[in-house]
Amino acid sequence: MIGFPSIAFLRGLGIVRKAVLPALAATFCLAADLAAGELRLERVVLSDGGVALFDHTAELDAAEALELVLPRAQIDDLLKSLLLFDVPGTAAAVTLSGEARSGDLLRDLPLADGDLASLPALLAALRGVEVAVGGPQAIEGRILSVVPEERREGEARIARHRLTLAGVHGLRSVVLEDAESIHIRDPAMAAVLATALERFARAREPGERRLAVRLRGGDARRVRLVWLAEAPIWKMSYRVLLEPGRARFQGWAVVDNRSGRDWSEVELVLVAGGPVTLRQALSRLFWAERPEVPVRLPEGIRPRIDEGALPPPPVAAAPGRAARAATAAPAERAFEPEALAKAAEPAALLAAEAAESPTQSFFRLPGRVSIPDRGSALVPVLDRTLSAEPIVLLQADRAPDRPLLALRIHNDGPGALPPGLLTVYARAPKGGIGFSGDAEFPLLPVGESRLLPFARDRATTVVVEPSAEEGIVAMTLAEGVLALERVARQITRYRVRSRAEEARVFVLEHPKRPGFRLAAPAPTAEGPGFWRFERALGAGETLSLEVVLERPEFERLELVDLDAERLAVLFAGREIPEPLRRAMTEIARLRAALREAGELRDRLEKERGELVAEQERLRANLAAVPAGSDLARRFLERLGASEDRLQALGEELARARAAVAAAEAALRAFVRDLAL
């Protein structure tokens, strides 16, 4: 039984002797007078997984049989987990009354579920059956067809059905909606229809399923039946009384009975641990899908008629410490109306017997419990003094300017404490008991502590001062690449002032930020989304706490592409290292020389292009004028001067291109050899 008490624990409770047959589980209704003995509910084990274990006993005589009547909705759980304990006997059989879904009710009848949806559908399914129709037009015969038709009355269209019968007088039809009665003359088909309707009626009965358990043994003896059933989860609620010197801790459980019968003087065990609980429709009928193979008929032979020759076909998821006292902060102890009780101490509870397993906690209530069906009860579970201390808690991601009063509860008891709600009471100055606040109480394993905020602390003021900065922390230069490591910092300064009359502990929960790491100070603890810091806060003292988060950033820059303005931005607020400054000065000089050489080359390239274009224009003009004319001679002179300039320009351009290449090589060589 996964998720329920261990066999050893059940043996201690008197449940387990000899397991004979695992089979089912569910809540139930019992027959008032059983044939072979009366089954009595002895014990209920409620789990926070939404199921309950029901433990029963029965006295058997030689009849050796038990009969249970079970609610229909609970039968699947029953069929999953029944255990029978019969030391001298043997389980012979467990039988259950049959039940089927609507689709299975007609499986062996010549009707389908849709055939009973309407009278036209039923009559269409009964084609060929002899019927007698009574009414204004009485006819008899076998059903031939049921055809829908429409009749118009003004703008309205009225749907009707025409029933056609084949009889001794031929084919006759009648409007089905005008018929007053229809009688099925075929006794066999009338019986089929009666059987189908009877099955549907039984399937919709709100009753129960009947279970028969047969045991072989022969002698009168006591047997035990244990099973699981769906049940409402039980809820835990706690009360804490704070006063000088101690913190009284009481736990109550809210238990609901929805089992279908009263619980009369039963032993009640509560289980906490979150077991895995599953359901399966074991009471439903499931049919395997099987492929249908067609019936193979012998093929007849029909000789082919010769119509000429054909061409040939192509080839184709520790106890023992003494409890420490705790005192509520007087700034938030409680309100104190006159109606509050003045009793010196809450009444003691009859605490449950606690036990622990690796996965669950068990609480067996003292005495016997009676809860009527559909009733609820508040039952005591524990009464102990836990180690606790009041603290001031600031959850900066929830409310950075609203500190809370909280309790640090340490479980130094014998077992884990289930989750629930917690109500905090405190002694008022005049001796009464006042309400201080509520808190969510999480699961508290043995040896662990939890912080439980329950009220706002008006005696503490918090001022939050956020700031941010960024700077370079490391730099390397190699092969012309400047590698910078920068750090972005988020700095949050908390100034905490206490107006309380006594010293307390201040606990800060500072939220984590994506990509940031904690630089300072060292945390006291770490949660999934926050760091926790603890500091002593004296009476009337002001405390300062600075939390620094850092996010490293890396950048690689080619020095050839880096100019003075970009460099100034990178080193904003920080002095540029002298070697880097000298290197950037030399790079700027080499870059200027390269720029001048490039400008000269570009001017010569432009001039050469203009001369080539002018020569093309001159040759075109020369071809258009008479040879030997004065204009032709002038064009030839200008063309010759252009050729002379092009030749000189070629030499100058070659020298300019060489100068550019030399300047580029000098810049690359200088940058390549730089190192810091």
Side-chain angles (χ1 to χ4, degrees):
M1 296 181 292
I2 297 176
F4 268 88
S6 64
I7 296 298
F9 183 74
L10 292 176
R11 186 177 292 114
L13 296 179
I15 294 178
V16 174
R17 287 199 285 262
K18 178 183 177 182
V20 176
L21 174 67
L24 346 136
T27 323
F28 61 97
C29 282
L30 292 176
D33 187 13
L34 300 177
E38 183 178 359
L39 197 65
R40 171 176 171 76
L41 179 62
E42 300 282 356
R43 182 178 293 104
V44 176
V45 181
L46 283 178
S47 168
D48 59 358
V51 293
L53 181 145
F54 294 94
D55 177 23
H56 311 76
T57 60
E59 301 293 335
L60 283 190
D61 55 18
E64 301 175 338
L66 289 172
E67 186 178 36
L68 304 178
V69 180
L70 311 166
R72 187 183 303 272
Q74 300 166 356
I75 192 61
D76 288 330
D77 279 334
L78 180 83
L79 292 172
K80 157 171 92 73
S81 59
L82 177 68
L83 286 176
L84 304 178
F85 303 100
D86 185 4
V87 174
T90 303
V94 178
T95 58
L96 185 68
S97 60
E99 182 178 30
R101 293 179 297 172
S102 60
D104 298 321
L105 296 175
L106 307 179
R107 189 176 180 86
D108 58 338
L109 298 179
L111 290 174
D113 194 12
D115 296 341
L116 302 180
S118 65
L119 180 59
L122 175 61
L123 294 177
L126 298 181
R127 179 179 297 174
V129 175
E130 185 176 357
V131 297
V133 179
Q137 184 180 359
I139 60 174
E140 297 182 4
R142 296 184 180 275
I143 298 175
L144 177 65
S145 65
V146 180
V147 179
E149 61 182 31
E150 285 187 354
R151 187 184 69 187
R152 299 181 63 90
E153 292 185 1
E155 296 297 327
R157 293 183 178 183
I158 301 175
R160 307 190 306 173
H161 295 81
R162 183 162 296 277
L163 172 64
T164 302
L165 304 182
V168 294
H169 300 292
L171 300 180
R172 302 182 64 186
S173 66
V174 63
V175 175
L176 186 58
E177 284 71 17
D178 294 338
E180 296 179 355
S181 65
I182 298 177
H183 177 67
I184 299 177
R185 291 289 183 86
D186 187 338
M189 188 53 65
V192 167
L193 181 60
T195 300
L197 296 177
E198 183 181 358
R199 291 181 181 180
F200 274 105
R202 286 204 310 266
R204 286 169 174 78
E205 290 178 357
E208 306 93 0
R209 301 286 299 278
R210 195 170 297 274
L211 177 74
V213 181
R214 294 177 54 205
L215 301 169
R216 294 176 181 172
D219 298 329
R221 64 198 183 279
R222 172 173 290 189
V223 298
R224 203 170 212 113
L225 286 78
V226 176
W227 62 78
L228 303 178
E230 186 176 38
I233 62 173
W234 61 277
K235 289 84 67 179
M236 195 71 171
S237 62
Y238 298 94
R239 297 97 170 110
V240 171
L241 176 59
L242 302 178
E243 55 186 36
R246 65 176 184 166
R248 182 80 172 276
F249 198 88
Q250 293 183 335
W252 295 73
V254 178
V255 178
D256 303 287
N257 177 10
R258 298 296 186 272
S259 64
R261 64 168 299 183
D262 297 339
W263 297 350
S264 179
E265 295 295 317
V266 300
E267 182 180 335
L268 183 59
V269 180
L270 305 179
V271 183
V276 175
T277 57
L278 305 175
R279 298 185 62 181
Q280 192 173 59
L282 297 175
S283 63
R284 287 174 51 186
L285 299 179
F286 295 90
W287 306 91
E289 294 292 338
R290 297 180 296 164
E292 181 176 347
V293 178
V295 177
R296 298 188 179 276
L297 301 177
E299 297 182 3
I301 299 176
R302 180 181 179 184
R304 175 177 52 83
I305 300 176
D306 186 6
E307 295 180 352
L310 299 177
V315 178
R321 248 169 50 173
R324 295 185 289 118
T327 306
E332 279 293 318
R333 277 204 174 106
F335 58 81
E336 190 185 6
E338 293 298 327
L340 290 179
K342 300 294 184 179
E345 196 70 29
L349 302 185
L350 291 175
E353 177 187 348
E356 194 82 4
S357 78
T359 58
Q360 295 176 318
S361 300
F362 310 101
F363 302 94
R364 180 169 61 182
L365 273 63
R368 297 272 174 169
V369 176
S370 295
I371 304 176
D373 181 37
R374 309 195 69 78
S376 302
L378 184 67
V379 295
V381 176
L382 59 91
D383 189 347
R384 67 174 76 157
T385 299
L386 293 180
S387 297
E389 63 174 333
I391 64 169
V392 180
L393 173 64
L394 181 66
Q395 296 178 332
D397 56 331
R398 301 295 179 87
D401 58 347
R402 293 200 297 269
L404 303 171
L405 275 178
L407 286 176
R408 191 200 308 272
I409 299 290
H410 182 78
N411 186 5
D412 45 17
L417 300 179
L421 284 181
L422 181 143
T423 300
V424 180
Y425 295 97
R427 291 290 184 189
K430 297 181 180 180
I433 296 177
F435 167 67
S436 293
D438 289 332
E440 294 186 51
F441 189 86
L443 173 68
L444 183 54
V446 175
E448 296 189 13
S449 299
R450 297 290 186 269
L451 298 183
L452 309 176
F454 62 89
R456 182 174 176 180
D457 182 12
R458 294 184 296 172
T460 303
T461 303
V462 178
V463 177
V464 184
E465 300 173 345
S467 62
E469 62 183 34
E470 185 175 337
I472 297 175
V473 296
M475 176 184 65
T476 59
L477 178 60
E479 297 183 353
V481 177
L482 179 63
L484 297 178
E485 180 182 354
R486 294 183 293 176
V487 171
R489 290 187 177 89
Q490 289 187 352
I491 304 170
T492 308
R493 297 176 179 87
Y494 297 91
R495 291 192 289 116
V496 185
R497 181 189 173 196
S498 173
R499 299 189 304 275
E501 299 177 356
E502 71 281 339
R504 294 182 293 180
V505 174
F506 174 73
V507 176
L508 167 66
E509 291 182 350
H510 187 84
K512 295 180 178 179
R513 305 292 184 194
F516 282 84
R517 62 170 183 250
L518 178 64
T524 305
E526 183 177 356
F530 61 87
W531 289 285
R532 182 176 292 166
F533 308 92
E534 294 191 18
R535 296 292 185 271
L537 183 61
E541 181 182 71
T542 298
L543 169 69
S544 294
L545 180 60
E546 184 176 276
V547 180
V548 181
L549 305 184
E550 293 183 346
R551 182 180 63 195
E553 298 176 352
F554 300 93
E555 189 171 6
R556 292 171 59 86
L557 302 167
E558 296 283 347
L559 277 185
V560 174
D561 302 326
L562 189 62
D563 55 26
E565 293 182 359
R566 174 61 175 157
L567 188 66
V569 172
L570 291 174
F571 285 86
R574 175 176 173 175
E575 186 176 352
I576 300 175
E578 186 59 29
L580 180 59
R581 185 187 300 276
R582 290 197 303 268
M584 292 303 297
T585 301
E586 180 62 17
I587 290 175
R589 187 189 68 79
L590 293 173
R591 216 184 251 152
L594 175 60
R595 183 171 57 254
E596 291 176 2
E599 290 174 353
L600 176 59
R601 178 201 58 193
D602 294 342
R603 287 198 303 270
L604 295 176
E605 292 279 5
K606 180 179 179 181
E607 184 181 355
R608 182 180 181 277
E610 291 173 351
L611 286 175
V612 170
E614 184 182 7
Q615 282 190 347
E616 292 178 356
R617 182 173 57 83
L618 289 173
R619 288 189 177 94
N621 291 338
L622 187 61
V625 299
S629 64
D630 291 340
L631 188 57
R633 285 194 297 271
R634 288 167 53 189
F635 286 156
L636 285 173
E637 290 175 358
R638 291 175 59 184
L639 188 59
S642 176
E643 285 290 346
D644 294 340
R645 178 56 185 157
L646 273 178
Q647 184 176 1
L649 193 60
E651 296 175 358
E652 294 177 16
L653 187 58
R655 290 193 295 270
R657 289 171 177 170
V660 169
E664 289 179 344
L667 178 59
R668 281 196 294 268
F670 178 78
V671 170
R672 183 179 61 247
D673 296 336
L674 277 178
L676 292 178

